[in-house]
Amino acid sequence: MEGDFETETERRLAMIWADVLKIDKVGRDQDFFGLGGDSLLATKVVLEARRVWNIDFTVRVLIDTPVLAGLAERIDQWVDKDRGTPGQPS
């Protein structure tokens, strides 16, 4: 990993992407599809994210928010909402 992550969610999501994409480094400003992701690999990311964060997450969300930092922020918003703290998914 590149080590420039601002949150634990960014770090964990980067690990998932690296594993699914079979690459060594993922930065917080990188685009999933720009790194070689496709719809099949996106499905793998979605399934792992659902398992890790226990959220209702779809491939459409990854398509709409393909940059790691933005997607991590959305995940944090969902997790915060589920915990009853302020934060709405965008």
Side-chain angles (χ1 to χ4, degrees):
M1 296 308 97
E2 299 240 328
D4 63 348
F5 306 113
E6 293 184 5
T7 68
E8 179 61 22
T9 302
E10 287 181 6
R11 187 192 66 75
R12 181 69 177 124
L13 188 58
M15 290 174 58
I16 293 169
W17 284 20
D19 183 54
V20 167
L21 296 168
K22 302 200 182 324
I23 58 177
D24 293 328
K25 295 181 181 181
V26 176
R28 66 183 308 270
D29 295 322
Q30 290 188 288
D31 182 297
F32 178 78
F33 300 100
L35 291 171
D38 59 27
S39 59
L40 181 59
L41 295 174
T43 300
K44 291 182 178 185
V45 168
V46 166
L47 292 173
E48 184 64 9
R50 285 179 176 179
R51 187 189 70 74
V52 170
W53 289 286
N54 193 31
I55 56 173
D56 184 21
F57 181 52
T58 65
V59 171
R60 181 85 235 162
V61 172
L62 181 52
I63 291 169
D64 290 344
T65 316
V67 175
L68 187 129
L71 185 58
E73 182 178 351
R74 288 187 75 173
I75 290 170
D76 282 340
Q77 289 170 347
W78 279 316
V79 169
D80 288 346
K81 182 180 176 201
D82 288 346
R83 289 184 183 146
T85 57
Q88 296 292 323
S90 346

